[in-house]
Amino acid sequence: MLLVQYLGLAAVLFCLGVYGVIARKNGVMILMSVELLLNAVNLNLIAFGAAYDTAVGQVFALFVIAIAAVEVGVGLAIVLLIYRNRSTVDFDQIDELRG
Amino acid sequence: MEAAFTILSLLVIVAAWRVVTTQNVVRAALALVVVLAGMAPLFIMLAAEFVAVIQVLVYVGAVVVLFLFGIMLTRSPTDVPEDPDNRRRWPGLIVAVGLFGALWFSLTDAFGNTSVDPKRVSDTADVGSNLLRENVIAFEAVSVLLLAALIGAIVLARQD
């Protein structure tokens, strides 16, 4: 197996996640796209760790998984709060700070 | 190995495509389950069994349940499901394709001949000792961060 096969798969996942973050306006769906981004990064870390025969890649992937869980918890709490105050999860309507 | 990788990567890519294009929020969450569960065998193929198990436990077990709760609690009051996309579909597509082109060019340029061949069957012991020796400060910081996020999520979502 070539390393670049795994890296290419991770790149595809990352680009799909970027597309989702840009093109979605539902807050929950934006968070799902961010999960795709973080998973692509995990695959990269583990592939590099395996290619260079070190455990550090896996350790960093574990850190990324923990941070992703934190991000989803706080992010969904914020989305819930926006929904309770505005009755919408449409992030294009949350633009009070736009200049 | 090669065939398994092809099947798994096709499955993951199609499911990820569904996540970012489907109009139904619940279907997006279920496609996300396929992506996250499909990553676990890929991790096992890279000799990262521990991360694969944690992936299934944390993502498929906890994160997806959180997402489903979030979808349940933020359903639109009218029964008509609104379009979850905005008007930036084409700019998003252009950015994604351009980014992939740049990534693919630089990756094949830098790592085109590097082969990955996980020799050891399992190195979970290495992961554990690395986690609790070299990276112990980061490990403890993550535990504090988890506590802070727990309190923060409760404070944000509490009704009063």
Side-chain angles (χ1 to χ4, degrees), chain B residues 8-62:
Chain B
L8 278 172
S9 53
L10 278 178
L11 178 78
V12 167
I13 289 171
V14 170
W17 177 251
R18 292 289 296 160
V19 171
V20 296
T21 54
T22 181
Q23 298 297 306
N24 186 320
V25 194
V26 180
R27 282 195 189 155
L30 295 180
L32 189 67
V33 174
V34 177
V35 176
L36 300 173
M39 297 295 274
L42 288 169
F43 292 166
I44 292 176
M45 285 165 66
L46 287 165
E49 299 93 342
F50 184 65
V51 183
V53 171
I54 294 293
Q55 166 95 2
V56 173
L57 282 179
V58 173
Y59 273 113
V60 184

Side-chain angles (χ1 to χ4, degrees), chain A residues 1-9 11-26 28-29 31-33 35-36 38-40 42-44 46-48 50-56 58-70 72-74 76-81 83-84 87-90 92-93, chain B residues 1-2 5 9 12-13 16-17 19-22 24-25 28-29 32 35-36 39 42-43 45-48 50-51 54-55 58-59 63 66-67 71 73-75 77 83-86 88-89 92-93 95-96 99-100 103-104 107-108 111 114-116 120 123 126-127 130-131 135 138-139 142 145-146 149 153 156-159:
Chain A
M1 293 286 291
L2 285 172
L3 176 62
V4 79
Q5 288 175 284
Y6 288 100
L7 301 183
L9 174 60
V12 172
L13 279 181
F14 192 86
C15 294
L16 284 171
V18 167
Y19 170 76
V21 171
I22 294 174
R24 292 295 202 191
K25 67 180 183 183
N26 184 314
V28 181
M29 284 181 154
L31 284 176
M32 285 185 201
S33 307
E35 290 306 307
L36 286 184
L38 291 168
N39 253 280
N42 269 347
L43 186 58
N44 256 357
I46 290 176
F48 274 118
Y52 294 101
D53 206 16
T54 165
V56 184
Q58 296 186 37
V59 172
F60 273 49
L62 289 174
F63 283 137
V64 171
I65 289 177
I67 306 286
V70 167
V72 167
V74 177
L76 278 175
I78 293 172
V79 171
L80 217 62
L81 196 65
Y83 178 76
R84 199 178 294 149
S87 298
T88 180
V89 285
D90 182 351
D92 283 3
Q93 291 177 25
Chain B
M1 197 79 156
E2 201 77 51
F5 177 82
S9 53
V12 167
I13 289 171
W17 177 251
V19 171
V20 296
T21 54
T22 181
N24 186 320
V25 194
L32 189 67
V35 176
L36 300 173
M39 297 295 274
L42 288 169
F43 292 166
M45 285 165 66
L46 287 165
F50 184 65
V51 183
I54 294 293
Q55 166 95 2
V58 173
Y59 273 113
V63 168
L66 262 181
F67 271 124
I71 292 166
L73 292 171
T74 60
R75 220 166 246 291
D83 187 9
D85 289 349
N86 56 27
R88 290 190 294 276
R89 243 172 257 187
L93 204 63
V95 168
L99 182 65
F100 179 74
L103 279 174
W104 182 250
L107 286 175
T108 47
F111 302 106
T114 315
S115 67
V116 52
R120 290 175 293 178
D123 49 4
D126 290 347
V127 174
N130 190 297
L131 202 58
N135 290 306
F139 183 71
V142 165
L145 179 74
L146 277 170
L156 282 173
R158 183 178 56 167
Q159 311 239 28

